[in-house]
Amino acid sequence: MSSHSGELRILSVYGKGEGPLAVDGHDTLFTASEVEALNSLSADHSAAKSLERGERLVCREELSVQLWPFTTVKTTKKTKYYTHEEALTLILASSEDSEDSQYDSEREEMFEQQLDDVLDRSMSEDSDADWEPQSQTGRPPAPTPTEGGRQKRQRSHSAATSATSPAASSTATPTTGRSRAARRVRGRGRRGGYRGASRGPSRAPSAATGEQQWRDVGDHDVEPALLDFVPVRQPGPQQQTRVATSPLEFFRLFFTDAVLNTLTANTNAYGAKRHDGKQVVWHNICRADIYSYLAMVIYMGMVKCSTLLDYWRGSRLYSLIFPPSVISRNKFLRISRALHMSDITADEENVAKRGTPAYDRLCKIKPLYSHIVEACKAHFQPGRHISIDERMVASKARISLKQYIKSKPTKWGYKLFVLADSGTGYTWNFFVYEGKSPGYGNGLSYDSVMSLLDFDLLGTGYQLYVDNFYTSSHLFLDLLKKKMGACGTIRANRVGFPKTTINDFTRGTPRGAIKWIRDSELLFVKWMDTREVVMCSTIHKAFTGDTAQRRVKTAGAWEVVHVPIPAAVKDYNQHMGGVDLSDPLIGYYSASHKTMKWYKTFFYHFLDIAIVNAHILYQQCQRGSMTQKEFRHALIEELADLGTPSTSRPSTSQVAAPPNPAASHKPQYLDEQDEAKRDSAGRAGRRICKLCHRKTPVGCSTCGVPLCFVATRDCYNEWHTQQGM
């Protein structure tokens, strides 16, 4: 190998408590790419995966280490020999495997814990120079117990190898590696947003911030200037939206004729493909059939039955009149099985791209998905206060889009990032989280917010409220540059949060205590409630004199007291619930039901979003007091009237229970006239017994059931006993 100015020499490869396993003292030089690869392995010992049990690669010095041309690795059975080329090949292969196998799982594990892969770091990582005063940047951090032992081993090893490696001992410098706990949080083999080179969003504050202390509630704070609220459009329903008057017309703002025509055409194409070569022929459906189908799906959200078939049963327990009057059972099931939102040709082309960057994981929902998002933004302009949060759509389908969030009420399902109006709960924008994806340049939380905020349609002067997954100083300052204020809870270990503990809360801090720090446009405020609440805001003053009622136990008795509360906390509690308001509105009468196809789950959720948003628009335009239940009732009836008339009748069981249990039951000979017309004379009057399945001419006059009534087979009385009659 040719020498390079940035050459790196491996110090040694150790066995089980033995010295360097090498006999030749010649140095081995590496290229720049090899140097970079070995440097990436120097902290986490990932090369140990490629060696036998009990061996590990030790890289303790940054510039001067040595690799022996022939390295022996002892095992329990025999000694195995590696040349330096073979050892380097194994090391590089181990690095690639570790990076590929851990990158996505690391990101997903952090996301399940509501952590951002760029902005959230462990407390030990936050002890670096990012938030230290400039005069302290050269001071090495105090070693943790783990690091202290490692440094002792480094010093002892350097002394032991100084005779054989003078270059190493002459240029040795102490390392300031992170603790093992920090590396477990950050992961190994990271790339993209994980490395320090990609920490663009990390904002180092001024040196003055690091020297500041937490201020008390009585200290003077400068109230930030209120941003002028200049929306692009008039807040509320738009002019073209106010033309609608009935629930159906508001619903068709989202499920337009173009959407229904596309849905009908794609369902027919997919249904014909499924029935190709089968005995059962697919019969094309029309738009009226889609209306009937939608009416029935929404109806199922209002009236719950254990199975779909129960809606068409005619027994005493069910006898539902509406379902068979709207659509037959077989047609409903046929449409449900063939329901398709995308073109089957586009699906086949997308499947051919699997494994390439051009592959679209949301191809099967993209037509309806894109239209619903555009319709939500087109027909409504949010008010000044908006909020962003996550939403879980329940599902246990076997697909990588599914997420598991143990802290959520709905633990399994698909994750959506949603922007909603804080006042009404209107879902204005959303996108589906696709799971394992390439690294986000500024972090998942930052990019999610920027993707949801359509500044061209919103305007300026808005006030955004988010939770601690999204809040960061970098995001809030960038939003402020776009003339949009922000407020949210923040984590104390988030990049950009002040690390000073001077005048901070202590044990026994009373309820209602307030501490704050202002760093230019950013306000960091702490408030002690039942526990510590930490906020960050660009639109609030530290304290404006507001109070909150709390029940406090004093002298053994509970009493209501008024405690101070920061304006940021008060407004956050009032305006953060936009998404939390829309979620129960969707969940009250959700049209979703179990399905094995993941894209059908999204179809039902898009239908719920359209209905809830249509109801909000109806209330805003009509100023009426119609509840969502009444709105759905009216919508179901209007959709059913547009549907194809159904000639279906409720399916009755073969045995109909008598209306009066006390009615008399008498055996009688079956009517032979109708039987004689259908059958030959030899079979007239003889039918199959309901109990023993033998031929009998006798039956029950009340139940109309053929039953044997002879000396050897008294099926008549036995059957009535079983039926409780």
Side-chain angles (χ1 to χ4, degrees):
M1 302 180 185
S2 60
S3 61
H4 191 272
S5 59
E7 63 192 23
L8 177 71
R9 302 173 183 177
I10 302 302
L11 183 64
S12 60
V13 176
Y14 273 82
K16 300 177 181 178
E18 302 170 352
L21 304 178
V23 294
D24 195 340
H26 295 291
D27 295 340
T28 301
L29 305 181
F30 298 90
T31 62
S33 61
E34 294 166 344
V35 169
E36 182 181 358
L38 292 171
N39 271 325
S40 66
L41 299 174
S42 61
D44 53 22
H45 308 295
S46 61
K49 291 186 176 180
S50 64
L51 302 178
E52 298 293 338
R53 184 179 61 182
E55 282 72 32
R56 60 189 178 91
L57 179 66
V58 182
C59 303
R60 294 196 176 97
E61 308 299 338
E62 296 181 358
L63 297 176
S64 181
V65 288
Q66 184 174 359
L67 176 71
W68 307 95
F70 291 90
T71 303
T72 62
V73 181
K74 289 189 176 182
T75 62
T76 56
K77 295 182 179 180
K78 61 180 181 179
T79 301
K80 188 174 183 179
Y81 295 89
Y82 291 101
T83 64
H84 63 276
E85 291 88 353
E86 294 173 344
L88 181 62
T89 301
L90 291 174
I91 291 171
L92 296 178
S94 174
S95 175
E96 294 175 358
D97 294 341
S98 175
E99 187 172 6
D100 293 340
S101 61
Q102 296 187 18
Y103 170 67
D104 285 334
S105 60
E106 178 89 21
R107 183 184 297 276
E108 294 303 312
E109 183 178 357
M110 294 188 69
F111 186 57
E112 289 178 5
Q113 300 173 3
Q114 294 293 292
L115 299 177
D116 188 277
D117 58 329
V118 173
L119 298 175
D120 286 316
R121 302 181 299 174
S122 66
M123 296 303 294
S124 59
E125 279 190 289
D126 289 330
S127 62
D128 58 13
D130 286 351
W131 273 89
E132 295 295 331
Q134 298 296 328
S135 59
Q136 300 179 7
T137 56
R139 182 187 305 174
T144 63
T146 303
E147 293 171 341
R150 188 182 307 140
Q151 291 177 357
K152 291 180 181 179
R153 291 193 297 270
Q154 291 174 3
R155 288 193 294 268
S156 62
H157 177 72
S158 299
T161 58
S162 60
T164 57
S165 180
S169 60
S170 63
T171 60
T173 56
T175 60
T176 57
R178 296 170 299 185
S179 66
R180 292 182 181 176
R183 289 201 303 273
R184 281 197 299 269
V185 174
R186 298 294 293 163
R188 297 184 297 176
R190 299 180 298 273
R191 59 183 176 184
Y194 281 75
R195 290 190 177 177
S198 298
R199 284 190 188 171
S202 300
R203 174 185 173 270
S206 61
T209 302
E211 299 170 354
Q212 282 183 352
Q213 64 179 8
W214 290 99
R215 298 180 178 272
D216 296 320
V217 64
D219 296 338
H220 176 70
D221 183 29
V222 179
E223 185 171 3
L226 182 64
L227 298 174
D228 294 332
F229 182 47
V230 185
V232 175
R233 303 172 298 179
Q234 181 69 23
Q238 298 307 294
Q239 189 63 34
Q240 68 274 17
T241 307
R242 298 181 181 274
V243 179
T245 56
S246 65
L248 177 62
E249 292 178 351
F250 281 98
F251 174 76
R252 292 185 65 177
L253 294 175
F254 301 91
F255 276 74
T256 61
D257 291 341
V259 171
L260 296 176
N261 291 336
T262 302
L263 188 63
T264 303
N266 293 334
T267 300
N268 284 329
Y270 185 70
K273 179 182 178 181
R274 289 183 73 253
H275 289 76
D276 187 20
K278 297 182 179 180
Q279 295 182 353
V280 180
V281 180
W282 169 260
H283 299 283
N284 285 341
I285 61 175
C286 59
R287 191 197 300 178
D289 295 327
I290 295 295
Y291 283 128
S292 299
Y293 178 79
L294 293 178
M296 191 61 206
V297 169
I298 302 172
Y299 174 82
M300 290 177 176
M302 306 291 297
V303 181
K304 300 293 185 180
C305 290
S306 57
T307 64
L308 294 179
L309 299 181
D310 291 340
Y311 289 97
W312 286 271
R313 295 191 187 278
S315 63
R316 295 177 62 192
L317 295 178
Y318 299 96
S319 299
L320 299 176
I321 301 176
F322 182 79
S325 67
V326 175
I327 187 172
S328 66
R329 179 196 62 189
N330 293 340
K331 179 180 286 189
F332 180 86
L333 296 177
R334 188 168 67 249
I335 296 176
S336 296
R337 297 187 186 104
L339 186 66
H340 215 69
M341 290 170 277
S342 60
D343 188 358
I344 59 174
T345 304
D347 291 344
E348 295 173 354
E349 295 175 353
N350 187 62
V351 170
K353 300 176 184 177
R354 188 185 298 272
T356 65
Y359 178 72
D360 187 3
R361 305 176 72 180
L362 304 178
C363 177
K364 290 189 176 182
I365 66 171
K366 188 58 68 67
L368 183 59
Y369 172 30
S370 302
H371 178 83
I372 293 296
V373 171
E374 293 301 323
C376 290
K377 294 191 289 187
H379 297 291
F380 186 83
Q381 183 73 13
R384 183 165 198 159
H385 305 286
I386 55 179
S387 62
I388 290 178
D389 205 351
E390 308 95 45
R391 176 187 295 164
M392 292 291 289
V393 180
S395 175
K396 289 190 177 180
R398 296 181 180 180
I399 184 174
S400 59
L401 289 175
K402 180 184 61 179
Q403 300 290 317
Y404 174 74
I405 309 296
K406 62 180 179 181
S407 61
K408 295 288 185 179
T410 303
K411 302 184 185 303
W412 291 97
Y414 308 115
K415 197 172 191 66
L416 278 67
F417 291 93
V418 181
L419 185 152
D421 178 68
S422 298
T424 62
Y426 183 93
T427 300
W428 192 77
N429 194 8
F430 65 92
F431 72 87
V432 180
Y433 176 66
E434 300 184 34
K436 301 176 182 178
S437 57
Y440 294 84
N442 295 309
L444 175 60
S445 59
Y446 180 98
D447 292 344
S448 299
V449 173
M450 288 302 186
S451 298
L452 291 172
L453 292 173
D454 193 338
F455 295 98
D456 294 335
L457 284 179
L458 285 174
T460 60
Y462 278 90
Q463 295 181 358
L464 173 66
Y465 294 86
V466 293
D467 62 20
N468 57 17
F469 175 71
Y470 305 93
T471 304
S472 67
S473 58
H474 179 237
L475 172 65
F476 280 19
L477 290 176
D478 284 356
L479 291 177
L480 195 59
K481 293 177 183 178
K482 298 179 179 294
K483 297 183 179 181
M484 180 174 291
C487 174
T489 55
I490 188 172
R491 298 166 182 169
N493 65 340
R494 179 61 61 96
V495 173
F497 187 81
K499 297 302 182 289
T500 180
T501 58
I502 303 176
N503 196 31
D504 200 354
F505 284 156
T506 59
R507 182 184 296 272
T509 300
R511 201 171 196 175
I514 298 175
K515 302 287 185 180
W516 59 273
I517 286 180
R518 179 169 293 280
D519 177 21
S520 185
E521 298 90 352
L522 292 174
L523 170 68
F524 300 96
V525 59
K526 291 184 177 182
W527 179 56
M528 181 60 69
D529 195 19
T530 53
R531 60 177 181 173
E532 183 179 289
V533 179
V534 188
M535 304 290 297
C536 179
S537 176
T538 60
I539 56 179
H540 292 100
K541 187 179 178 181
F543 182 65
T544 57
D546 296 318
T547 60
Q549 290 185 356
R550 293 292 185 269
R551 295 180 72 247
V552 179
K553 193 172 185 179
T554 305
W558 290 95
E559 60 179 356
V560 178
V561 298
H562 294 269
V563 298
I565 182 174
V569 177
K570 181 179 179 180
D571 289 347
Y572 178 86
N573 291 337
Q574 181 179 358
H575 302 299
M576 178 55 199
V579 179
D580 294 336
L581 176 59
S582 66
D583 287 348
L585 291 176
I586 291 175
Y588 286 149
Y589 310 104
S590 176
S592 178
H593 54 265
K594 293 182 179 179
T595 174
M596 297 181 66
K597 300 296 184 180
W598 65 271
Y599 53 87
K600 294 181 182 178
T601 301
F602 279 107
F603 172 81
Y604 299 132
H605 185 68
F606 296 157
L607 180 61
D608 285 330
I609 291 177
I611 295 173
V612 171
N613 281 358
H615 175 237
I616 294 174
L617 293 176
Y618 179 87
Q619 289 182 318
Q620 294 286 315
C621 294
Q622 302 296 325
R623 306 291 182 183
S625 59
M626 179 180 288
T627 63
Q628 185 187 167
K629 183 178 181 180
E630 296 170 343
F631 182 86
R632 287 183 180 248
H633 285 171
L635 177 60
I636 292 171
E637 293 180 354
E638 290 181 294
L639 287 172
D641 293 338
L642 292 178
T644 304
S646 175
T647 58
S648 173
R649 292 182 296 176
S651 59
T652 58
S653 59
Q654 193 172 4
V655 179
N660 183 8
S664 60
H665 297 266
K666 296 180 180 180
Q668 68 174 9
Y669 285 98
L670 300 174
D671 188 5
E672 299 183 3
Q673 295 182 359
D674 295 336
E675 296 289 341
K677 294 179 181 178
R678 277 200 314 268
D679 305 325
S680 60
R683 297 180 57 190
R686 299 181 65 83
R687 298 173 62 184
I688 302 299
C689 176
K690 180 63 178 177
L691 188 62
C692 68
H693 303 292
R694 297 183 183 181
K695 291 184 178 180
T696 176
V698 181
C700 179
S701 60
T702 304
C703 301
V705 177
L707 294 165
C708 298
F709 191 61
V710 294
T712 57
R713 298 191 309 277
D714 189 5
C715 297
Y716 178 86
N717 290 313
E718 184 177 353
W719 183 84
H720 282 82
T721 301
Q722 293 178 0
Q723 301 300 317
M725 293 181 287

